């Protein structure tokens, strides 16, 4: 059995914008702007920042082209979250969040190196329109 790695204790707040509830036929459910490509540091604050109605996220799908190495499981939001890595090109800039009762939700991942004004503009647009 693989070890579950714990994130650092002092985590910054996630930079996250979500589309309005009840929005119809969204391609993504919001946008997330991580500070780095290090999943062990970035995922715990993201999962903790999600609204309660999203439920308990148990699996996160990430693209291998965007993220550095990470364990198969991490501790996030006070529970173990399984990481699935994919190399599908079309999902390069998204992260999939799975919850058993509510299904899958996708967030656009804004590259950490993007200029703040561009990242804020992109996040606001995604939150407003969901695509």
């Amino acid at each position: 059995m693989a070890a579950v790695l714990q994130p650092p204790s002092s985590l910054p707040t996630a930079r996250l914008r979500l589309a309005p509830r009840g929005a119809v036929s969204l391609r993504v459910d919001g946008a997330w702007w991580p500070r780095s490509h290090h999943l062990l540091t970035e995922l715990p604050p993201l999962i903790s920042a999600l609204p309660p109605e999203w439920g308990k996220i148990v699996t996160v799908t990430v693209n291998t082209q965007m993220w550095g190495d990470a364990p198969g499981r991490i501790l996030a939001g006070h529970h173990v979250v399984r990481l699935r890595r994919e190399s599908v090109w079309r999902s390069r800039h998204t992260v999939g969040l799975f919850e058993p009762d509510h299904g899958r939700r996708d967030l656009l991942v804004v590259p950490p190196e993007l200029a703040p004004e561009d990242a804020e503009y992109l996040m606001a647009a995604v939150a407003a329109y969901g695509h």
Side-chain angles (χ1 to χ4, degrees):
M1 185 161 133
V4 175
L5 296 178
Q6 300 226 8
S9 59
S10 59
L11 297 172
T13 304
R15 299 182 291 190
L16 177 66
R17 296 265 186 100
L18 299 177
R21 281 197 250 164
V24 182
S25 68
L26 298 176
R27 292 185 188 141
V28 294
D29 298 288
W32 171 45
W33 184 27
R35 289 172 171 79
S36 73
H37 291 280
H38 190 252
L39 280 172
L40 186 59
T41 302
E42 299 297 335
L43 275 180
L46 169 64
I47 290 172
S48 294
L50 296 173
E53 61 266 17
W54 281 35
K56 181 180 173 182
I57 303 300
V58 296
T59 304
V60 176
T61 302
V62 297
N63 192 280
T64 57
Q65 296 175 6
M66 181 158 209
W67 298 99
D69 289 335
R73 289 177 274 193
I74 65 169
L75 185 62
H78 305 292
H79 63 278
V80 175
V81 175
R82 191 178 93 164
L83 294 177
R84 285 191 354 207
R85 300 175 68 79
E86 296 180 341
S87 60
V88 179
W89 179 83
R90 64 180 154 71
S91 66
R92 180 172 182 209
H93 292 288
T94 61
V95 60
L97 305 164
F98 296 86
E99 195 278 336
D101 296 326
H102 298 107
R104 177 182 177 138
R105 297 184 192 248
D106 293 305
L107 296 175
L108 174 75
V109 179
V110 177
E113 57 277 358
L114 200 61
E117 58 277 359
D118 295 334
E120 286 295 332
Y121 177 81
L122 182 55
M123 290 177 62
V126 168
Y129 303 109
H131 57 280

